[in-house]
Amino acid sequence: MSRPVKTTVAVILGCIVSTLLTGCDPGDGDDLPPPSGDSTLIYNALIIDGTGTTARRGAVRIARDSIVDVGDLSPIDGEQAIDARGLVLAPGFIDTHSHHDDEGALRNNPDALPLLTQGITTSVFGQDGGHHLPLADFLSDFDREPAAVNIASYVGHNTIRERVMGNDAKRPANPEEVEAMRSLLLSELQAGALGLSTGLEYEPGIYSRREEVLALAAATAAQGGRYISHVRSEDRFLWDAMDEIIDIGRQTGIPVQISHIKLAAKKLWNQAPELLEKLDAARAEGIDITADVYPYEYWASTMWVLLPDRDADNLEEIAFVLDQLTPASGIIFTRYEANPDYVNQSVAEIAKSRGTSEVQTFSDLLKESEAWSEANGGASAEMIMGRSMTETDIETFLRWEHSNVCSDGGFTGHPRGHGSFPRVLARYVRDRQTLSLETAVAAMTSRAANHMGFADRGRIAPGMKADLVLFDPESIQDHAGIRDGQVLSTGVDSVWVNGQRVLKDGESTQVFPGQVLRRSSQEGALPQEGGANAD
């Protein structure tokens, strides 16, 4: 059976787009859609294409792993036709800052349900300065045995610093050590990493000088990579930290992204407009600075991150932390190996049960966890959630036209790993009307793709990869809470990854078509998101 003219023309146009992005030849018959029985039409959908433009009714045709036509389409004989029932069809959501790979979690749970039930189709790892070394082996494992979602990774500064400096990493590096880091970085970038990530508030990055980070960022820039950073401080030294990342962008020309942008100190609350004014000034200067953000007032890390001097006996410092950064009632353990009964309890609750002051309890808990760690070969002993942000600032960051949504979450711990994207759509679109639906989707798709350098994902258009999510904007909802963080979200009906349906009626199809996205295959970048700053 011959193809309808309309479809063939659309495919050729789509392939022209693909030529620019991936080298497809529109004159090559192998690049046309397969016979109609191998294509799928999703019709009767409310299409939000990811660019921020107004939703429209229509249909999307996919063949192999790509979108080949969009518009007012009718099924072809023998083609699979799926009635979207008026639900929203959007590009698959891209999580630019994820820890769903921690401790082999995604490897052991390839159906990726906590991701798919949020609509996530691509997850970016290697964040906060840590990555799987050697990266080539980690990525090759997913080439051989894919998950249900796509993955990509950065190279972590802390990881290469520890490899080079070993147990002597709690100090500034000398020139020879910086050069050794640069050599290892270049080797890891060759595996296809998106760029360099830093976690400058964590061990051992906290001991690095600016010159060290700048040298590594410059080496990354020379390879066409990007820079993403958990900056040196999100609270008391925030402005100096912002100056550092801006200067890295200025001196290297590299695109720089602030991980999980936040104002995590009382004295900074409601200063989000001032911070964005600073970032906009940097952009006006020609610095490509962006940010990602998750929709919670709680962060997650270790207790130590609250003490830059790493001194558990400094009770005056601890008192400042509990007064100005996060209250004892807002510090909740997600893991505490020295006494697992403390999980889901706050420092305030533990202090009450112990009969000690909150300050002394914080100090004692730190020392007890450190003793456990030393007795167990240096293993990590604790993780906490800390309430330090305000919803007003979160909303301001979500509205910034150069921010995208992320989870910063994993399979365990903080509820953001199970609920970030639906929470934005439920709370900040439907309930509070902070964003339009189209703008929120753009912040999850084309904007995120652009910030990561993904040229062929993040929009619904011919030639783009068929990563798609079908959801009900009236019922989509996160359910994971601060003390019950591993509850799946609802409202996502179906998800397609590289043209294959991986979630149907909210259930895994046990199909695993995810791809490894390497920098070498991401030539160019998506256009700037048109209309995405409508709010």
Side-chain angles (χ1 to χ4, degrees), residues 417-493:
H418 283 64
S420 289
F421 289 76
R423 182 174 175 82
V424 170
L425 296 170
R427 182 168 183 80
Y428 296 107
V429 174
R430 186 178 65 229
D431 299 342
R432 295 177 64 87
Q433 300 182 18
T434 302
L435 304 169
S436 71
L437 184 56
E438 291 86 349
T439 300
V441 168
M444 299 173 177
T445 58
S446 69
R447 203 183 290 178
N450 196 51
H451 295 171
M452 297 295 101
F454 299 151
D456 58 357
R457 299 174 200 270
R459 289 181 294 138
I460 293 180
M464 303 297 284
K465 294 297 184 183
D467 293 348
L468 300 165
V469 54
L470 185 69
F471 68 93
D472 183 351
E474 298 303 318
S475 68
I476 193 166
Q477 186 66 57
D478 62 302
H479 300 289
I482 293 302
R483 296 184 195 253
D484 55 346
Q486 284 67 66
V487 183
L488 296 175
S489 297
T490 55
V492 173
D493 177 274

Side-chain angles (χ1 to χ4, degrees), residues 94 96 256-262 276 279-280 283 288-294 393-406 424 435 439-452 528-529 532-533:
I94 297 170
T96 61
V256 294
Q257 176 138 344
I258 302 165
S259 289
H260 42 62
I261 189 170
K262 62 174 70 79
L276 294 184
L279 301 182
D280 282 332
R283 291 188 62 84
D288 184 3
I289 188 164
T290 57
D292 54 33
V293 57
Y294 56 76
D393 288 332
I394 292 169
E395 290 182 300
T396 300
F397 291 137
L398 284 171
R399 283 193 294 262
W400 192 43
E401 62 183 307
H402 303 293
S403 70
N404 66 260
V405 176
C406 74
V424 170
L435 304 169
T439 300
V441 168
M444 299 173 177
T445 58
S446 69
R447 203 183 290 178
N450 196 51
H451 295 171
M452 297 295 101
Q528 292 295 325
E529 54 275 10
N533 58 342

